[in-house]
Amino acid sequence: AIFNPIDVVKVRFQSQLPNAPPPYSSLFNAFHTIYTEKGLQGLYIGTSATVTRAAFLTSAQLGSYDVIKNNIFVQMFGFDKEANTTHFSASIIASVITTTAANPADVVKT
């Protein structure tokens, strides 16, 4: 939640249409304009969506990586537990699961 103002500005820049002019002339202008128009609360709009996304993302990552690595790769397929390929493969699969779990909150956030 501390970095939510940065996220608000990032989403505002990302959500502009391709041929539309930028909504702000610079990052500093964006912070100043949002603060001037909506106050400090304007910089913290969407905090609940950001926190929800972080909760989904962290839960999916923590819940999937070790299970994939230890239970599937090591126990089922006999991979070496400390091999770089085991860590890399487990992290790739866990990242797909994590991204999928966080996507609904990302859609709501933007």
Side-chain angles (χ1 to χ4, degrees):
I2 294 172
F3 292 102
N4 199 73
I6 296 169
D7 198 50
V8 167
V9 171
K10 178 190 70 122
V11 168
R12 296 254 178 120
F13 274 107
Q14 286 178 331
S15 63
Q16 73 184 27
L17 296 173
N19 295 328
Y24 308 102
S25 60
S26 67
L27 289 174
F28 296 112
N29 176 256
F31 284 110
H32 182 266
T33 303
I34 294 169
Y35 181 77
T36 303
E37 291 176 359
K38 299 186 180 184
L40 193 58
Q41 288 180 332
L43 293 170
Y44 283 91
I45 290 174
T47 302
S48 61
T50 302
V51 170
T52 302
R53 178 190 179 276
F56 286 168
L57 190 140
T58 304
S59 299
Q61 185 177 22
L62 291 175
S64 64
Y65 176 78
D66 284 331
V67 170
I68 293 165
K69 187 181 101 175
N70 295 321
N71 296 358
I72 296 174
F73 287 153
V74 174
Q75 290 179 1
M76 289 178 68
F77 296 116
F79 285 26
D80 179 18
K81 186 175 183 173
E82 297 304 322
N84 287 337
T85 54
T86 305
H87 290 290
F88 181 74
S89 302
S91 67
I92 290 293
I93 295 171
S95 69
V96 170
I97 293 168
T98 300
T99 304
T100 303
N103 188 48
D106 268 339
V107 171
V108 168
K109 195 172 89 166
T110 56

